[in-house]
Amino acid sequence: MARLLLIEDDLTIRTPLLRALRERGHAVAAASTAMTGLRDALDDRPDLVVLDLGLPDLDGRELLRMLRAVSAVPVIVATARDDETEIVRVLDAGADDYVVKPFTAAQLDARIRAVLRRGTGPASEGDPALVVGGLRVDPRSRQVTLDGIPVELTPREFDLLHHLAGRPGQVVTKRELLAEVWRVPYGGADKTVDVHLSWLRRKLGESAQAPRYLHTVRGVGVRLEAPGSAG
């Protein structure tokens, strides 16, 4: 059973959604304003937050930024805004997934389960650490070290690096990264991949102009390999 926080001001949406998610076995609390939702997220520490963008006191994207500054709780954004640019902004601001209104409770429940499966909890005992050169990615502890030094990553950055580290030397397309890491369809929204790769490179002490581990293959995707192993 997952503990959920639903931040939604529209009573006609909130009430049936609360009932439907509870019928599916979740423990669900609700907030109707951004600031109440922020307080509840910090005080109650839910497993996942479902966040509406159109809140009365603060835009949901601003709340997402505030929440991301203090918490790594998974967030699914529920929005009527289906503009691709807006969706990319939401993902770049730290959302783990999004659903566009109107949606069914079954669809939202499926996305909740998918996000929690790839969440921050420990992986199974059979999942080994991945080692590429001096880079070690441990899915059980969700810790990364580079030449023995810990690297602090966000949950999304970890998932991105783990996916690449599982395919060393292979070119991984942005289409695959969006589908497997972000769980969103490819449709020109690859800017979010570029942004997260840029953040990841910075934390690994490299850049696109001077890569060590992360090598861009122009027009195709990215390849992770140990320094000196090219060719």
Side-chain angles (χ1 to χ4, degrees):
M1 178 180 68
R3 294 181 303 109
L4 310 178
L5 174 61
L6 173 62
I7 306 176
E8 167 65 67
D9 69 310
D10 189 333
L11 188 63
T12 63
I13 295 175
R14 187 173 70 244
T15 299
L17 201 51
L18 277 170
R19 182 174 59 250
L21 289 174
R22 285 168 178 164
E23 288 173 352
R24 285 168 168 78
H26 302 297
V28 193
S32 59
T33 67
M35 298 315 295
T36 301
L38 179 62
R39 182 199 64 201
D40 291 349
L42 297 181
D43 289 348
D44 299 338
R45 298 184 178 276
D47 298 317
L48 183 142
V49 173
V50 179
L51 172 63
D52 175 37
L53 292 185
L55 297 171
D57 55 336
L58 191 69
D59 185 80
R61 190 145 49 91
E62 292 303 314
L63 173 58
L64 177 60
R65 290 195 182 97
M66 295 167 66
L67 189 57
R68 274 291 164 262
V70 293
S71 173
V73 62
V75 176
I76 296 178
V77 166
T79 176
R81 308 171 193 174
D82 59 358
D83 177 70
E84 182 182 284
T85 301
E86 179 66 16
I87 290 170
V88 171
R89 287 176 182 154
V90 164
L91 293 170
D92 287 345
D96 293 87
D97 201 351
Y98 68 92
V99 287
V100 176
K101 296 176 180 179
F103 55 84
T104 65
Q107 179 186 2
L108 178 59
D109 184 45
R111 289 180 178 266
I112 288 169
R113 288 184 280 108
V115 168
L116 291 176
R117 279 198 301 270
R118 67 178 192 264
T120 58
S124 69
E125 290 298 320
D127 290 341
L130 303 175
V131 178
V132 181
L135 189 63
R136 187 176 190 274
V137 183
D138 189 340
R140 285 170 287 189
S141 64
R142 291 184 69 87
Q143 293 180 344
V144 173
T145 58
L146 178 59
D147 299 328
I149 300 172
V151 180
E152 296 296 327
L153 301 180
T154 66
R156 181 73 74 193
E157 290 165 352
F158 180 91
D159 291 340
L160 175 57
L161 183 61
H162 181 258
H163 189 83
L164 294 170
R167 297 151 183 77
Q170 299 179 24
V171 178
V172 181
T173 66
K174 293 177 182 179
R175 180 190 297 269
E176 177 179 334
L177 291 173
L178 282 169
E180 297 299 325
V181 179
W182 275 266
R183 297 295 196 273
V184 298
Y186 183 86
D190 55 348
K191 183 179 182 297
T192 191
V193 177
D194 294 333
V195 169
H196 283 78
L197 283 172
S198 176
W199 292 341
L200 191 54
R201 282 190 175 101
R202 185 163 59 245
K203 292 185 177 182
L204 295 179
E206 60 183 77
S207 67
Q209 294 73 33
R212 294 184 65 235
Y213 284 90
L214 295 169
H215 300 263
T216 297
V217 180
R218 191 175 300 278
V220 182
V222 64
R223 180 182 69 249
L224 186 145
E225 61 187 11
S229 64

Short mmCIF file of all heavy atoms in Angstrom, two decimals, residues 79-145:
data_model
loop_
_atom_site.label_atom_id
_atom_site.label_comp_id
_atom_site.label_asym_id
_atom_site.label_seq_id
_atom_site.Cartn_x
_atom_site.Cartn_y
_atom_site.Cartn_z
N THR A 79 -2.29 17.61 -15.09
CA THR A 79 -2.49 18.93 -15.69
C THR A 79 -3.42 18.88 -16.89
O THR A 79 -3.51 17.86 -17.59
CB THR A 79 -1.13 19.52 -16.13
OG1 THR A 79 -1.35 20.77 -16.79
CG2 THR A 79 -0.40 18.59 -17.07
N ALA A 80 -4.12 19.98 -17.12
CA ALA A 80 -4.92 20.12 -18.33
C ALA A 80 -4.08 20.71 -19.46
O ALA A 80 -4.55 20.82 -20.59
CB ALA A 80 -6.14 21.01 -18.06
N ARG A 81 -2.85 21.11 -19.14
CA ARG A 81 -1.98 21.73 -20.13
C ARG A 81 -1.26 20.64 -20.93
O ARG A 81 -0.41 19.94 -20.40
CB ARG A 81 -0.95 22.62 -19.43
CG ARG A 81 -1.57 23.62 -18.46
CD ARG A 81 -0.51 24.33 -17.64
NE ARG A 81 -1.10 25.07 -16.52
CZ ARG A 81 -0.39 25.68 -15.59
NH1 ARG A 81 0.94 25.66 -15.65
NH2 ARG A 81 -0.99 26.31 -14.60
N ASP A 82 -1.62 20.50 -22.20
CA ASP A 82 -1.02 19.45 -23.02
C ASP A 82 0.01 19.99 -23.99
O ASP A 82 0.48 19.27 -24.88
CB ASP A 82 -2.10 18.68 -23.77
CG ASP A 82 -2.92 19.57 -24.69
OD1 ASP A 82 -2.69 20.79 -24.71
OD2 ASP A 82 -3.81 19.04 -25.39
N ASP A 83 0.43 21.26 -23.81
CA ASP A 83 1.46 21.84 -24.66
C ASP A 83 2.80 21.17 -24.37
O ASP A 83 3.21 21.04 -23.21
CB ASP A 83 1.56 23.35 -24.40
CG ASP A 83 2.67 23.99 -25.22
OD1 ASP A 83 2.53 24.08 -26.44
OD2 ASP A 83 3.69 24.37 -24.60
N GLU A 84 3.50 20.75 -25.41
CA GLU A 84 4.75 20.02 -25.24
C GLU A 84 5.79 20.83 -24.48
O GLU A 84 6.50 20.31 -23.62
CB GLU A 84 5.32 19.61 -26.60
CG GLU A 84 6.60 18.80 -26.49
CD GLU A 84 7.15 18.47 -27.85
OE1 GLU A 84 6.60 17.57 -28.51
OE2 GLU A 84 8.14 19.10 -28.25
N THR A 85 5.87 22.13 -24.78
CA THR A 85 6.84 22.98 -24.09
C THR A 85 6.58 23.01 -22.60
O THR A 85 7.51 22.92 -21.78
CB THR A 85 6.80 24.41 -24.66
OG1 THR A 85 7.08 24.37 -26.06
CG2 THR A 85 7.81 25.30 -23.95
N GLU A 86 5.32 23.09 -22.21
CA GLU A 86 4.96 23.10 -20.79
C GLU A 86 5.30 21.77 -20.14
O GLU A 86 5.81 21.73 -19.00
CB GLU A 86 3.46 23.39 -20.63
CG GLU A 86 2.98 23.40 -19.19
CD GLU A 86 3.56 24.53 -18.37
OE1 GLU A 86 4.10 25.50 -18.96
OE2 GLU A 86 3.49 24.45 -17.12
N ILE A 87 5.05 20.68 -20.84
CA ILE A 87 5.37 19.36 -20.29
C ILE A 87 6.86 19.21 -20.07
O ILE A 87 7.32 18.70 -19.04
CB ILE A 87 4.83 18.25 -21.23
CG1 ILE A 87 3.30 18.24 -21.17
CG2 ILE A 87 5.38 16.89 -20.83
CD1 ILE A 87 2.66 17.36 -22.21
N VAL A 88 7.68 19.68 -21.01
CA VAL A 88 9.12 19.62 -20.86
C VAL A 88 9.56 20.45 -19.65
O VAL A 88 10.42 20.03 -18.87
CB VAL A 88 9.84 20.11 -22.14
CG1 VAL A 88 11.34 20.27 -21.90
CG2 VAL A 88 9.60 19.13 -23.28
N ARG A 89 8.96 21.62 -19.48
CA ARG A 89 9.31 22.46 -18.34
C ARG A 89 9.00 21.76 -17.02
O ARG A 89 9.76 21.84 -16.06
CB ARG A 89 8.53 23.79 -18.41
CG ARG A 89 9.03 24.75 -19.47
CD ARG A 89 8.14 25.97 -19.52
NE ARG A 89 8.56 26.90 -20.55
CZ ARG A 89 7.76 27.76 -21.16
NH1 ARG A 89 6.48 27.81 -20.82
NH2 ARG A 89 8.22 28.58 -22.09
N VAL A 90 7.87 21.07 -16.99
CA VAL A 90 7.47 20.35 -15.78
C VAL A 90 8.46 19.23 -15.48
O VAL A 90 8.89 19.04 -14.33
CB VAL A 90 6.04 19.80 -15.94
CG1 VAL A 90 5.74 18.74 -14.90
CG2 VAL A 90 5.02 20.93 -15.85
N LEU A 91 8.85 18.48 -16.50
CA LEU A 91 9.82 17.40 -16.29
C LEU A 91 11.17 17.96 -15.87
O LEU A 91 11.84 17.42 -14.98
CB LEU A 91 9.95 16.57 -17.57
CG LEU A 91 8.72 15.76 -17.96
CD1 LEU A 91 8.89 15.17 -19.35
CD2 LEU A 91 8.45 14.66 -16.95
N ASP A 92 11.59 19.05 -16.49
CA ASP A 92 12.87 19.67 -16.14
C ASP A 92 12.85 20.24 -14.73
O ASP A 92 13.88 20.32 -14.07
CB ASP A 92 13.22 20.79 -17.13
CG ASP A 92 13.66 20.25 -18.48
OD1 ASP A 92 13.96 19.04 -18.56
OD2 ASP A 92 13.69 21.02 -19.45
N ALA A 93 11.66 20.64 -14.26
CA ALA A 93 11.54 21.19 -12.90
C ALA A 93 11.59 20.10 -11.84
O ALA A 93 11.67 20.40 -10.66
CB ALA A 93 10.25 21.99 -12.76
N GLY A 94 11.54 18.82 -12.27
CA GLY A 94 11.70 17.74 -11.31
C GLY A 94 10.57 16.75 -11.22
O GLY A 94 10.60 15.85 -10.38
N ALA A 95 9.54 16.87 -12.07
CA ALA A 95 8.46 15.89 -12.04
C ALA A 95 8.96 14.54 -12.53
O ALA A 95 9.82 14.46 -13.40
CB ALA A 95 7.29 16.36 -12.92
N ASP A 96 8.41 13.47 -11.96
CA ASP A 96 8.79 12.13 -12.38
C ASP A 96 7.92 11.61 -13.51
O ASP A 96 8.32 10.74 -14.26
CB ASP A 96 8.69 11.17 -11.18
CG ASP A 96 9.72 11.50 -10.12
OD1 ASP A 96 9.44 12.34 -9.25
OD2 ASP A 96 10.82 10.92 -10.17
N ASP A 97 6.72 12.16 -13.63
CA ASP A 97 5.81 11.76 -14.70
C ASP A 97 4.70 12.79 -14.75
O ASP A 97 4.62 13.69 -13.90
CB ASP A 97 5.24 10.37 -14.43
CG ASP A 97 4.73 9.68 -15.69
OD1 ASP A 97 4.66 10.35 -16.75
OD2 ASP A 97 4.39 8.49 -15.62
N TYR A 98 3.83 12.68 -15.76
CA TYR A 98 2.69 13.59 -15.86
C TYR A 98 1.53 12.85 -16.50
O TYR A 98 1.72 11.87 -17.24
CB TYR A 98 3.05 14.83 -16.68
CG TYR A 98 3.28 14.53 -18.15
CD1 TYR A 98 2.23 14.60 -19.07
CD2 TYR A 98 4.53 14.14 -18.61
CE1 TYR A 98 2.43 14.28 -20.40
CE2 TYR A 98 4.74 13.83 -19.93
CZ TYR A 98 3.69 13.90 -20.83
OH TYR A 98 3.90 13.58 -22.14
N VAL A 99 0.33 13.31 -16.18
CA VAL A 99 -0.88 12.84 -16.86
C VAL A 99 -1.67 14.07 -17.28
O VAL A 99 -1.70 15.07 -16.56
CB VAL A 99 -1.74 11.92 -15.97
CG1 VAL A 99 -1.10 10.57 -15.79
CG2 VAL A 99 -2.02 12.57 -14.62
N VAL A 100 -2.27 14.00 -18.45
CA VAL A 100 -3.03 15.12 -18.98
C VAL A 100 -4.51 14.87 -18.73
O VAL A 100 -5.04 13.80 -19.06
CB VAL A 100 -2.75 15.32 -20.49
CG1 VAL A 100 -3.63 16.43 -21.05
CG2 VAL A 100 -1.28 15.62 -20.72
N LYS A 101 -5.18 15.86 -18.14
CA LYS A 101 -6.61 15.76 -17.89
C LYS A 101 -7.39 15.86 -19.20
O LYS A 101 -6.97 16.60 -20.10
CB LYS A 101 -7.06 16.89 -16.95
CG LYS A 101 -6.44 16.82 -15.56
CD LYS A 101 -6.86 18.02 -14.75
CE LYS A 101 -6.25 17.98 -13.35
NZ LYS A 101 -6.63 19.17 -12.55
N PRO A 102 -8.51 15.14 -19.31
CA PRO A 102 -9.07 14.20 -18.33
C PRO A 102 -8.36 12.84 -18.40
O PRO A 102 -7.93 12.41 -19.47
CB PRO A 102 -10.52 14.05 -18.78
CG PRO A 102 -10.47 14.28 -20.26
CD PRO A 102 -9.37 15.29 -20.50
N PHE A 103 -8.21 12.21 -17.26
CA PHE A 103 -7.61 10.87 -17.19
C PHE A 103 -8.44 10.02 -16.25
O PHE A 103 -9.20 10.53 -15.42
CB PHE A 103 -6.16 10.94 -16.70
CG PHE A 103 -6.00 11.66 -15.38
CD1 PHE A 103 -6.20 10.99 -14.18
CD2 PHE A 103 -5.65 12.99 -15.34
CE1 PHE A 103 -6.06 11.64 -12.97
CE2 PHE A 103 -5.50 13.66 -14.12
CZ PHE A 103 -5.71 12.98 -12.93
N THR A 104 -8.31 8.72 -16.36
CA THR A 104 -9.05 7.80 -15.49
C THR A 104 -8.22 7.47 -14.27
O THR A 104 -6.98 7.59 -14.27
CB THR A 104 -9.39 6.50 -16.23
OG1 THR A 104 -8.17 5.81 -16.54
CG2 THR A 104 -10.16 6.79 -17.52
N ALA A 105 -8.88 7.03 -13.22
CA ALA A 105 -8.17 6.59 -12.02
C ALA A 105 -7.27 5.40 -12.33
O ALA A 105 -6.18 5.27 -11.77
CB ALA A 105 -9.17 6.24 -10.92
N ALA A 106 -7.71 4.53 -13.23
CA ALA A 106 -6.91 3.36 -13.59
C ALA A 106 -5.60 3.80 -14.26
O ALA A 106 -4.53 3.23 -14.00
CB ALA A 106 -7.70 2.44 -14.52
N GLN A 107 -5.68 4.81 -15.13
CA GLN A 107 -4.47 5.30 -15.78
C GLN A 107 -3.53 5.92 -14.76
O GLN A 107 -2.31 5.66 -14.79
CB GLN A 107 -4.84 6.35 -16.85
CG GLN A 107 -3.63 6.93 -17.57
CD GLN A 107 -4.00 8.07 -18.51
OE1 GLN A 107 -5.17 8.45 -18.60
NE2 GLN A 107 -3.03 8.62 -19.19
N LEU A 108 -4.06 6.72 -13.85
CA LEU A 108 -3.21 7.33 -12.84
C LEU A 108 -2.60 6.27 -11.93
O LEU A 108 -1.41 6.33 -11.60
CB LEU A 108 -4.02 8.32 -12.01
CG LEU A 108 -3.26 9.01 -10.86
CD1 LEU A 108 -2.06 9.79 -11.39
CD2 LEU A 108 -4.19 9.93 -10.08
N ASP A 109 -3.38 5.27 -11.54
CA ASP A 109 -2.87 4.20 -10.69
C ASP A 109 -1.73 3.46 -11.37
O ASP A 109 -0.73 3.11 -10.73
CB ASP A 109 -4.01 3.24 -10.35
CG ASP A 109 -3.56 2.16 -9.39
OD1 ASP A 109 -2.87 2.46 -8.40
OD2 ASP A 109 -3.89 0.98 -9.64
N ALA A 110 -1.84 3.22 -12.67
CA ALA A 110 -0.77 2.54 -13.40
C ALA A 110 0.51 3.37 -13.39
O ALA A 110 1.62 2.84 -13.22
CB ALA A 110 -1.21 2.25 -14.83
N ARG A 111 0.37 4.67 -13.56
CA ARG A 111 1.55 5.54 -13.53
C ARG A 111 2.16 5.63 -12.13
O ARG A 111 3.37 5.68 -11.98
CB ARG A 111 1.18 6.93 -14.06
CG ARG A 111 0.91 6.95 -15.56
CD ARG A 111 0.54 8.33 -16.04
NE ARG A 111 0.32 8.35 -17.47
CZ ARG A 111 1.24 8.65 -18.38
NH1 ARG A 111 2.46 8.94 -18.01
NH2 ARG A 111 0.94 8.65 -19.66
N ILE A 112 1.31 5.63 -11.11
CA ILE A 112 1.81 5.64 -9.74
C ILE A 112 2.65 4.39 -9.49
O ILE A 112 3.76 4.46 -8.95
CB ILE A 112 0.63 5.71 -8.75
CG1 ILE A 112 0.00 7.10 -8.77
CG2 ILE A 112 1.09 5.36 -7.32
CD1 ILE A 112 -1.32 7.19 -8.02
N ARG A 113 2.12 3.24 -9.87
CA ARG A 113 2.85 1.99 -9.65
C ARG A 113 4.16 1.96 -10.44
O ARG A 113 5.18 1.47 -9.95
CB ARG A 113 1.96 0.80 -10.01
CG ARG A 113 0.85 0.58 -8.99
CD ARG A 113 0.00 -0.65 -9.28
NE ARG A 113 -0.99 -0.42 -10.32
CZ ARG A 113 -0.94 -0.92 -11.54
NH1 ARG A 113 0.09 -1.68 -11.90
NH2 ARG A 113 -1.89 -0.67 -12.41
N ALA A 114 4.14 2.50 -11.66
CA ALA A 114 5.36 2.52 -12.48
C ALA A 114 6.42 3.42 -11.86
O ALA A 114 7.61 3.07 -11.80
CB ALA A 114 5.03 2.99 -13.89
N VAL A 115 6.02 4.60 -11.38
CA VAL A 115 6.97 5.52 -10.76
C VAL A 115 7.55 4.92 -9.48
O VAL A 115 8.75 4.99 -9.22
CB VAL A 115 6.31 6.89 -10.47
CG1 VAL A 115 7.20 7.74 -9.57
CG2 VAL A 115 6.04 7.62 -11.77
N LEU A 116 6.70 4.30 -8.66
CA LEU A 116 7.19 3.71 -7.42
C LEU A 116 8.11 2.53 -7.67
O LEU A 116 9.04 2.29 -6.89
CB LEU A 116 6.00 3.29 -6.54
CG LEU A 116 5.18 4.45 -5.96
CD1 LEU A 116 3.97 3.92 -5.19
CD2 LEU A 116 6.04 5.33 -5.07
N ARG A 117 7.88 1.78 -8.76
CA ARG A 117 8.77 0.66 -9.08
C ARG A 117 10.18 1.13 -9.37
O ARG A 117 11.15 0.44 -9.09
CB ARG A 117 8.23 -0.12 -10.28
CG ARG A 117 7.14 -1.11 -9.93
CD ARG A 117 6.96 -2.14 -11.05
NE ARG A 117 6.62 -1.51 -12.32
CZ ARG A 117 5.39 -1.28 -12.73
NH1 ARG A 117 4.36 -1.61 -11.97
NH2 ARG A 117 5.16 -0.74 -13.92
N ARG A 118 10.29 2.31 -9.98
CA ARG A 118 11.62 2.81 -10.31
C ARG A 118 12.07 3.89 -9.32
O ARG A 118 12.95 4.69 -9.61
CB ARG A 118 11.65 3.37 -11.73
CG ARG A 118 10.82 4.62 -11.97
CD ARG A 118 10.98 5.09 -13.40
NE ARG A 118 10.45 6.41 -13.62
CZ ARG A 118 9.23 6.67 -14.09
NH1 ARG A 118 8.40 5.68 -14.36
NH2 ARG A 118 8.84 7.92 -14.26
N GLY A 119 11.44 3.91 -8.16
CA GLY A 119 11.68 4.96 -7.18
C GLY A 119 12.97 4.78 -6.41
O GLY A 119 13.88 4.06 -6.81
N THR A 120 13.04 5.41 -5.26
CA THR A 120 14.29 5.47 -4.52
C THR A 120 14.49 4.34 -3.54
O THR A 120 15.46 4.33 -2.79
CB THR A 120 14.35 6.80 -3.73
OG1 THR A 120 13.21 6.87 -2.86
CG2 THR A 120 14.30 7.98 -4.69
N GLY A 121 13.56 3.40 -3.51
CA GLY A 121 13.73 2.29 -2.59
C GLY A 121 14.85 1.37 -3.03
O GLY A 121 15.34 1.44 -4.17
N PRO A 122 15.31 0.46 -2.14
CA PRO A 122 16.40 -0.44 -2.49
C PRO A 122 16.01 -1.41 -3.57
O PRO A 122 14.87 -1.87 -3.64
CB PRO A 122 16.69 -1.17 -1.17
CG PRO A 122 15.41 -1.08 -0.40
CD PRO A 122 14.80 0.24 -0.78
N ALA A 123 16.95 -1.73 -4.45
CA ALA A 123 16.69 -2.72 -5.49
C ALA A 123 16.80 -4.11 -4.88
O ALA A 123 17.16 -4.29 -3.73
CB ALA A 123 17.70 -2.55 -6.63
N SER A 124 16.47 -5.12 -5.66
CA SER A 124 16.54 -6.48 -5.15
C SER A 124 17.98 -6.90 -4.95
O SER A 124 18.91 -6.32 -5.51
CB SER A 124 15.85 -7.42 -6.14
OG SER A 124 16.61 -7.54 -7.32
N GLU A 125 18.14 -7.95 -4.14
CA GLU A 125 19.48 -8.42 -3.80
C GLU A 125 20.25 -8.89 -5.04
O GLU A 125 21.46 -8.93 -5.04
CB GLU A 125 19.39 -9.57 -2.78
CG GLU A 125 18.92 -9.11 -1.40
CD GLU A 125 19.86 -8.12 -0.76
OE1 GLU A 125 21.08 -8.30 -0.89
OE2 GLU A 125 19.38 -7.16 -0.15
N GLY A 126 19.51 -9.26 -6.09
CA GLY A 126 20.18 -9.76 -7.28
C GLY A 126 20.72 -8.69 -8.19
O GLY A 126 21.38 -9.00 -9.18
N ASP A 127 20.43 -7.42 -7.91
CA ASP A 127 20.89 -6.34 -8.78
C ASP A 127 22.33 -5.96 -8.42
O ASP A 127 22.57 -5.40 -7.34
CB ASP A 127 19.99 -5.11 -8.65
CG ASP A 127 18.61 -5.35 -9.24
OD1 ASP A 127 18.48 -6.29 -10.04
OD2 ASP A 127 17.68 -4.61 -8.90
N PRO A 128 23.28 -6.23 -9.30
CA PRO A 128 24.67 -5.93 -8.96
C PRO A 128 25.02 -4.47 -9.20
O PRO A 128 24.33 -3.77 -9.94
CB PRO A 128 25.44 -6.83 -9.94
CG PRO A 128 24.55 -6.88 -11.15
CD PRO A 128 23.14 -6.87 -10.61
N ALA A 129 26.09 -4.03 -8.57
CA ALA A 129 26.63 -2.70 -8.87
C ALA A 129 27.23 -2.72 -10.27
O ALA A 129 27.79 -3.73 -10.72
CB ALA A 129 27.68 -2.32 -7.84
N LEU A 130 27.11 -1.62 -10.97
CA LEU A 130 27.66 -1.49 -12.32
C LEU A 130 28.94 -0.68 -12.23
O LEU A 130 28.97 0.39 -11.60
CB LEU A 130 26.65 -0.79 -13.24
CG LEU A 130 25.27 -1.46 -13.34
CD1 LEU A 130 24.33 -0.60 -14.17
CD2 LEU A 130 25.40 -2.86 -13.94
N VAL A 131 30.00 -1.18 -12.85
CA VAL A 131 31.30 -0.52 -12.80
C VAL A 131 31.77 -0.24 -14.22
O VAL A 131 31.86 -1.16 -15.04
CB VAL A 131 32.35 -1.36 -12.05
CG1 VAL A 131 33.70 -0.66 -12.06
CG2 VAL A 131 31.90 -1.64 -10.63
N VAL A 132 32.03 1.03 -14.51
CA VAL A 132 32.56 1.44 -15.81
C VAL A 132 33.77 2.32 -15.52
O VAL A 132 33.62 3.46 -15.08
CB VAL A 132 31.51 2.21 -16.64
CG1 VAL A 132 32.09 2.59 -18.00
CG2 VAL A 132 30.23 1.40 -16.80
N GLY A 133 34.97 1.79 -15.73
CA GLY A 133 36.17 2.53 -15.37
C GLY A 133 36.18 2.82 -13.88
O GLY A 133 35.98 1.93 -13.05
N GLY A 134 36.36 4.08 -13.51
CA GLY A 134 36.35 4.47 -12.11
C GLY A 134 34.97 4.82 -11.59
O GLY A 134 34.83 5.30 -10.45
N LEU A 135 33.94 4.58 -12.40
CA LEU A 135 32.56 4.92 -12.04
C LEU A 135 31.85 3.67 -11.52
O LEU A 135 31.85 2.62 -12.17
CB LEU A 135 31.84 5.45 -13.27
CG LEU A 135 30.46 6.07 -13.10
CD1 LEU A 135 30.52 7.32 -12.22
CD2 LEU A 135 29.88 6.42 -14.47
N ARG A 136 31.26 3.78 -10.33
CA ARG A 136 30.53 2.66 -9.73
C ARG A 136 29.12 3.12 -9.40
O ARG A 136 28.93 4.09 -8.67
CB ARG A 136 31.23 2.17 -8.46
CG ARG A 136 30.64 0.89 -7.87
CD ARG A 136 31.46 0.42 -6.66
NE ARG A 136 31.04 -0.90 -6.23
CZ ARG A 136 30.04 -1.14 -5.38
NH1 ARG A 136 29.34 -0.12 -4.89
NH2 ARG A 136 29.74 -2.39 -5.03
N VAL A 137 28.13 2.39 -9.94
CA VAL A 137 26.72 2.73 -9.77
C VAL A 137 26.04 1.56 -9.07
O VAL A 137 25.92 0.47 -9.63
CB VAL A 137 26.05 3.01 -11.13
CG1 VAL A 137 24.59 3.43 -10.94
CG2 VAL A 137 26.81 4.06 -11.92
N ASP A 138 25.60 1.78 -7.83
CA ASP A 138 25.02 0.70 -7.02
C ASP A 138 23.52 0.90 -6.91
O ASP A 138 23.06 1.81 -6.20
CB ASP A 138 25.66 0.70 -5.63
CG ASP A 138 25.26 -0.53 -4.82
OD1 ASP A 138 24.23 -1.16 -5.16
OD2 ASP A 138 25.97 -0.86 -3.86
N PRO A 139 22.71 0.06 -7.58
CA PRO A 139 21.25 0.25 -7.54
C PRO A 139 20.63 -0.10 -6.20
O PRO A 139 19.54 0.36 -5.88
CB PRO A 139 20.75 -0.68 -8.66
CG PRO A 139 21.80 -1.74 -8.75
CD PRO A 139 23.10 -1.04 -8.45
N ARG A 140 21.31 -0.94 -5.39
CA ARG A 140 20.75 -1.31 -4.09
C ARG A 140 20.77 -0.14 -3.12
O ARG A 140 19.81 0.13 -2.43
CB ARG A 140 21.49 -2.53 -3.53
CG ARG A 140 21.11 -3.83 -4.24
CD ARG A 140 22.02 -4.97 -3.84
NE ARG A 140 23.35 -4.82 -4.44
CZ ARG A 140 24.27 -5.76 -4.40
NH1 ARG A 140 24.04 -6.89 -3.78
NH2 ARG A 140 25.44 -5.56 -4.97
N SER A 141 21.89 0.55 -3.07
CA SER A 141 22.00 1.71 -2.17
C SER A 141 21.69 3.02 -2.89
O SER A 141 21.58 4.06 -2.25
CB SER A 141 23.41 1.79 -1.60
OG SER A 141 24.37 2.00 -2.62
N ARG A 142 21.57 2.94 -4.24
CA ARG A 142 21.39 4.12 -5.08
C ARG A 142 22.49 5.15 -4.82
O ARG A 142 22.25 6.34 -4.73
CB ARG A 142 19.99 4.73 -4.89
CG ARG A 142 18.89 3.84 -5.44
CD ARG A 142 17.52 4.48 -5.36
NE ARG A 142 17.38 5.61 -6.26
CZ ARG A 142 16.99 5.51 -7.54
NH1 ARG A 142 16.76 4.33 -8.08
NH2 ARG A 142 16.86 6.60 -8.27
N GLN A 143 23.71 4.63 -4.72
CA GLN A 143 24.88 5.48 -4.52
C GLN A 143 25.82 5.36 -5.71
O GLN A 143 25.95 4.30 -6.32
CB GLN A 143 25.62 5.10 -3.23
CG GLN A 143 24.82 5.40 -1.97
CD GLN A 143 25.56 5.02 -0.72
OE1 GLN A 143 26.55 4.28 -0.76
NE2 GLN A 143 25.11 5.54 0.41
N VAL A 144 26.47 6.46 -6.01
CA VAL A 144 27.44 6.52 -7.12
C VAL A 144 28.76 7.03 -6.57
O VAL A 144 28.80 7.97 -5.78
CB VAL A 144 26.94 7.46 -8.24
CG1 VAL A 144 28.01 7.65 -9.31
CG2 VAL A 144 25.66 6.90 -8.86
N THR A 145 29.84 6.39 -6.98
CA THR A 145 31.17 6.90 -6.65
C THR A 145 31.97 7.04 -7.94
O THR A 145 31.80 6.26 -8.88
CB THR A 145 31.93 5.99 -5.68
OG1 THR A 145 32.04 4.67 -6.24
CG2 THR A 145 31.21 5.90 -4.33
#
